[in-house]
Amino acid sequence: MWNDIYYFIMVPMVYIAFATFALGILFKFAVVAFSPGIKGKLGAYPRRLPRPLGVVKEAFAVPVAFRKSKVFWFFIVAYHLSFALLVIGHLELIDEFAALQVIPHQVFLGAGWVGIVLMVSTLYFLFRRFRYPYNAISVPEDYLILILLFFALFFGSHMNLASRHLDFMFDVSKMRDYLQSLIALRPVLPEDIVSSYHNIMLALHVLFANLFLMLFPFGKMVHSVFAFCTLNLKRK
Amino acid sequence: MEKEKIRELKSLIASRLTRPMRYYLDTCTRCGLCYDTCHAYYGIPKKEYSPVGRAEVVRRAVKKHFRPSGRLFPYWGDATALDERVMDEMKEAAFSCTGCRRCMMYCPFGIDMPYILGIAKVLLIGYGNAPEELVMLADAAVEKGKSIDEFKEGFLSVIGDMELEVQKRLGLPSADGLIPMEKKNADVLFVGLSGAHSIIHPAVIFNAAKENWTLSFFEAVNFGMFAGDPEKMQFIADRVVNEAKALGVKEVVIVECGTAYRIPKFLLGPLPFKVTSIVEKIHQYLAENRIRMKDGAIAEPLTYHDPCQLGRNAGVFDEPREILARLASDYREMSPTREYNWCCGGGGGLVALDNEEFRIKSGKAKKDQIDATGAKIVVSACENCILQLNTIKDGYGLDVEVRSLSELVAERLAV
């Protein structure tokens, strides 16, 4: 029974999650692509930088948040930067990329700090929502997505830290076998992973990551893509 | 609400689900950075007057009726079906918003909240609950567009009186042709408002600058836009577009009315003529020395209120300030200013509604700004702003004089 659940989370559910994520995003893009455009312009002023530069600056430096709340801005920037490093770390978990090893490092940049920064930022975003006036405008989706993300980070980060600072060595090569087999659509769950000290942590990490991915296209997380479109409209 | 009515309203929502609308509806993370950026919220701190609070009223209904997640798990995103209560919330949200887009300046994604409220406005029209005043004024403008010939004679008779006033101001020997009508191939077609002052001051300036101009039969204000009716908005705007095309003018100059300027400038798509605000035109005349100001600047402290549609929504920030620099010796900037300036609370057609108490309260941010400057003269370049600034002045007993920029320029022309 436990083995079946474990296998379901680690293999079929991963496929379901990625399929839901990909199809959901495609559906979202298709709906937008087939929606009518407008003949006018919705831009605002001033425009101190050319459009592409302005969009990049607003998207990545978030000066609007800096103006309103330095603390919130700090966590926004810290969170998004760390998330980018996290994506790179997971790519390295699939395969070795020479370009990513320009500065030689153990898989996952940041010596474990990336996960900690992400967890602290996520908790900040979550607890900020419990405060007035943010609680007045929050809906269940806002809390749930942050809770799922926190748990995915918590278990993922736990494995990373344990692997770095304790004797529970995390076998990257076995993880690569597993992830590459998933990508090749010939899934194999190596026995070394199933019987490792981290097996439960890993399953919980994958479970919460799966749930997060499945919800991604259907909520506000699409801001990660659409933000560039709205910021472009602001300068058009 | 009856099923048939809901179906009808859903089709209205669908008609407004453009690409930008979908971006705006999907991108908001409810981060709350915009929460306290609305002047209405400043005066009346209720969630209903926060930008995100307003947008959520629309977003919840769209989720319920257009999203599988809203149908399957309404609790998940607080999706709410259209009913009488929701329609009341929509009215409160849509017609307490002036469309100033100050909130957009504080949104990390640049979401255009008033654009989202376009859904609420079109639903209110479909539900028969839109403000009657705005609907009637829009209908009257449409009617005038359909039967302009019936209006021409009456309008021309009034023009004669205005020409006499322009003649007196400029000290000219004759009043003939000082306000030219239906002049083919003029360089400029000026579009005023229904009030004589909106024509006389610009006419004085155009004649002083020896402009080859003509006056439109139509007024620039667009009540179709204020009511939120896209078809009427287009028809009312097209009256002037067609007139300009028929006359073959090179440039259409819009009176001091922010929305009237923004519509042809940005919302109609490409036009075969240039669209300019009277403020930009005055600035051009001064730069080209086609008009001159009298010696001796105004000594009283003076401040400028940026009309939202002219400033952050059209980029006309420097021109009015440079004009005022020639008029006043004690110019004082408001704080915050330019794109972050508070809206006065009169836009979006709100000054045409029976809501004076609300507008006085929602004008508190502007009142505090004016107070802080210590100015005795408040200048602006939008008819709605002038009306609202006077409401704020009377409501709070401010010891200031509210003047329009073109009025001040016309008054201080060296002739």
Side-chain angles (χ1 to χ4, degrees):
Chain A
M1 172 71 174
W2 164 245
N3 285 345
D4 290 342
I5 293 172
Y6 193 87
Y7 184 80
F8 175 75
I9 291 170
M10 296 297 288
V11 179
M13 195 184 180
V14 175
Y15 284 122
I16 293 169
F18 271 91
T20 311
F21 172 77
L23 291 175
I25 290 284
L26 273 178
F27 174 73
K28 204 86 191 171
F29 286 170
V31 167
V32 167
F34 287 106
S35 297
I38 57 163
K39 57 186 173 183
K41 294 174 180 178
L42 298 172
Y45 291 83
R47 297 163 184 178
R48 296 187 177 99
L49 289 172
R51 187 165 13 138
L53 276 180
V55 170
V56 167
K57 183 190 166 192
E58 287 209 55
F60 292 106
V62 212
V64 165
F66 186 78
R67 193 178 173 85
K68 279 285 283 182
S69 162
K70 305 281 185 286
V71 176
F72 189 38
W73 173 84
F74 171 80
F75 281 111
I76 290 173
V77 173
Y79 174 87
H80 287 88
L81 267 178
S82 304
F83 205 91
L85 294 175
L86 194 75
V87 171
I88 291 172
H90 280 83
L91 284 177
E92 289 185 292
L93 213 51
I94 295 171
D95 207 348
E96 198 172 309
F97 294 95
L100 297 177
Q101 283 289 345
V102 175
I103 304 166
H105 61 272
Q106 191 182 326
V107 170
F108 281 109
L109 283 157
W113 281 101
V114 167
I116 292 170
V117 170
L118 277 166
M119 277 192 289
V120 172
S121 307
T122 304
L123 285 179
Y124 171 79
F125 296 146
L126 181 64
F127 286 112
R128 183 175 175 271
R129 288 219 170 265
F130 286 101
R131 278 175 34 214
Y132 183 83
Y134 311 109
N135 55 358
I137 51 169
S138 299
V139 301
E141 172 200 348
D142 300 329
Y143 299 97
L144 189 58
I145 203 89
L146 287 169
I147 291 168
L148 289 177
L149 190 60
F150 174 76
F151 281 118
L153 291 166
F154 177 78
F155 293 117
S157 194
H158 180 100
M159 283 185 290
N160 188 12
L161 289 171
S163 162
R164 283 173 189 276
H165 303 294
L166 301 172
D167 291 333
F168 303 102
M169 281 308 291
F170 194 80
D171 194 338
V172 171
S173 67
K174 295 299 171 200
M175 276 308 291
R176 283 185 178 152
D177 291 345
Y178 161 62
L179 291 173
Q180 285 174 8
S181 77
L182 283 177
I183 291 168
L185 302 179
R186 283 192 294 272
V188 176
L189 192 54
E191 184 52 33
D192 289 342
I193 286 183
V194 178
S195 59
S196 75
Y197 289 114
H198 298 302
N199 61 353
I200 293 178
M201 286 289 165
L202 180 62
L204 288 170
H205 171 67
V206 174
L207 171 69
F208 285 108
N210 284 342
L211 291 171
F212 177 75
L213 268 183
M214 285 195 280
L215 290 175
F216 193 101
F218 306 105
K220 60 182 189 174
M221 295 308 292
V222 291
H223 78 267
S224 51
V225 179
F226 286 174
F228 295 94
C229 306
T230 54
L231 290 172
N232 188 47
L233 283 171
K234 188 183 170 188
R235 295 176 163 270
K236 225 170 168 182
Chain B
M1 196 182 290
E2 291 164 18
K3 280 187 176 173
E4 185 54 37
K5 194 70 193 171
I6 290 179
R7 250 197 300 275
E8 192 187 312
L9 294 180
K10 275 173 67 180
S11 72
L12 286 174
I13 296 179
S15 73
R16 295 301 301 257
L17 290 178
T18 60
R19 206 171 298 147
M21 185 67 86
R22 288 191 185 275
Y23 291 146
Y24 291 145
L25 289 172
D26 277 342
T27 305
C28 178
T29 57
R30 290 174 287 278
C31 69
L33 281 174
C34 66
Y35 201 85
D36 57 357
T37 61
C38 177
H39 61 281
Y41 181 86
Y42 182 103
I44 312 163
K46 282 168 60 182
K47 183 182 87 171
E48 289 76 3
Y49 298 132
S50 73
V52 58
R54 285 196 185 99
E56 276 299 297
V57 175
V58 174
R59 198 174 282 118
R60 287 199 298 259
V62 173
K63 269 186 216 165
K64 178 67 186 174
H65 295 289
F66 287 86
R67 299 274 162 77
S69 57
R71 288 195 195 107
L72 294 171
F73 313 107
Y75 174 73
W76 165 252
D78 207 8
T80 317
L82 288 168
D83 60 19
E84 285 77 6
R85 184 184 60 82
V86 170
M87 293 311 295
D88 285 344
E89 286 177 5
M90 291 226 181
K91 191 168 184 180
E92 183 74 8
F95 291 100
S96 62
C97 171
T98 57
C100 77
R101 305 207 302 173
R102 185 174 191 265
C103 47
M104 196 173 171
M105 298 291 121
Y106 290 94
C107 172
F109 310 114
I111 294 173
D112 186 341
M113 308 286 180
Y115 190 76
I116 293 177
L117 290 176
I119 288 184
K121 288 190 173 184
V122 88
L123 285 176
L124 289 165
I125 291 169
Y127 190 61
N129 200 18
E132 272 177 39
E133 303 95 316
L134 297 181
V135 174
M136 281 168 59
L137 287 163
D139 287 343
V142 168
E143 192 49 44
K144 185 175 176 183
K146 286 179 180 165
S147 47
I148 184 62
D149 289 337
E150 292 171 24
F151 289 87
K152 281 187 176 175
E153 198 180 329
F155 192 71
L156 289 170
S157 68
V158 182
I159 290 295
D161 295 337
M162 291 192 218
E163 283 182 318
L164 288 172
E165 178 65 24
V166 175
Q167 179 203 8
K168 196 171 91 184
R169 298 267 198 102
L170 291 171
L172 296 171
S174 164
D176 286 347
L178 291 181
I179 302 182
M181 299 297 300
E182 297 185 275
K183 188 176 178 183
K184 288 263 182 192
N185 301 317
D187 289 335
V188 164
L189 171 69
F190 175 69
V191 195
L193 296 169
S194 50
H197 64 282
S198 74
I199 296 171
I200 291 172
H201 304 309
V204 168
I205 296 165
F206 285 135
N207 280 288
K210 299 193 170 28
E211 183 62 85
N212 174 23
W213 73 293
T214 186
L215 177 67
S216 171
F217 275 108
F218 300 104
E219 66 287 344
V221 64
N222 195 316
F223 285 104
M225 177 79 172
F226 292 150
D229 189 320
E231 282 77 33
K232 284 181 191 163
M233 183 279 268
Q234 184 72 50
F235 185 91
I236 293 167
D238 280 347
R239 300 175 317 168
V240 175
V241 171
N242 293 335
E243 187 184 29
K245 284 180 183 170
L247 291 173
V249 298
K250 293 177 189 146
E251 185 176 358
V252 169
V253 176
I254 307 289
V255 70
E256 287 171 305
C257 175
T259 307
Y261 174 59
R262 187 175 168 227
I263 292 170
K265 182 82 177 177
F266 297 106
L267 302 183
L268 297 183
L271 295 171
F273 47 80
K274 189 178 168 192
V275 178
T276 314
S277 152
I278 184 72
V279 177
E280 293 169 290
K281 208 66 192 161
I282 292 170
H283 183 260
Q284 178 196 329
Y285 293 154
L286 281 168
E288 293 171 356
N289 286 321
R290 288 170 69 178
I291 57 173
R292 284 187 307 107
M293 297 290 106
K294 284 176 189 165
D295 293 336
I298 298 166
E300 280 185 296
L302 177 151
T303 189
Y304 177 69
H305 162 68
D306 277 295
C308 304
Q309 306 301 339
L310 205 59
R312 69 179 141 257
N313 294 330
V316 183
F317 290 117
D318 295 330
E319 293 86 345
R321 286 170 172 78
E322 287 172 19
I323 295 168
L324 288 171
R326 301 203 186 199
L327 292 174
S329 59
D330 187 4
Y331 176 76
R332 299 180 183 188
E333 199 65 73
M334 287 189 192
S335 177
T337 186
R338 296 168 78 98
E339 72 267 31
Y340 298 109
N341 204 342
W342 286 102
C343 172
C344 62
L350 263 64
V351 284
L353 303 179
D354 181 17
N355 57 1
E356 198 172 298
E357 195 186 335
F358 170 79
R359 282 192 290 113
I360 291 170
K361 284 184 183 168
S362 67
K364 185 168 185 308
K366 186 53 60 184
K367 174 251 171 195
D368 289 348
Q369 275 190 296
I370 295 170
D371 265 351
T373 63
K376 292 293 170 202
I377 302 172
V378 182
V379 181
S380 194
C382 172
E383 185 76 2
N384 276 349
C385 296
I386 300 284
L387 290 168
Q388 170 67 357
L389 287 168
N390 274 311
T391 302
I392 293 171
K393 173 192 160 184
D394 296 340
Y396 291 101
L398 293 181
D399 179 24
V400 293
E401 193 185 349
V402 179
R403 306 293 300 274
S404 93
L405 186 62
S406 66
E407 177 190 16
L408 216 54
V409 170
E411 202 176 274
R412 300 195 64 82
L413 270 180
V415 289

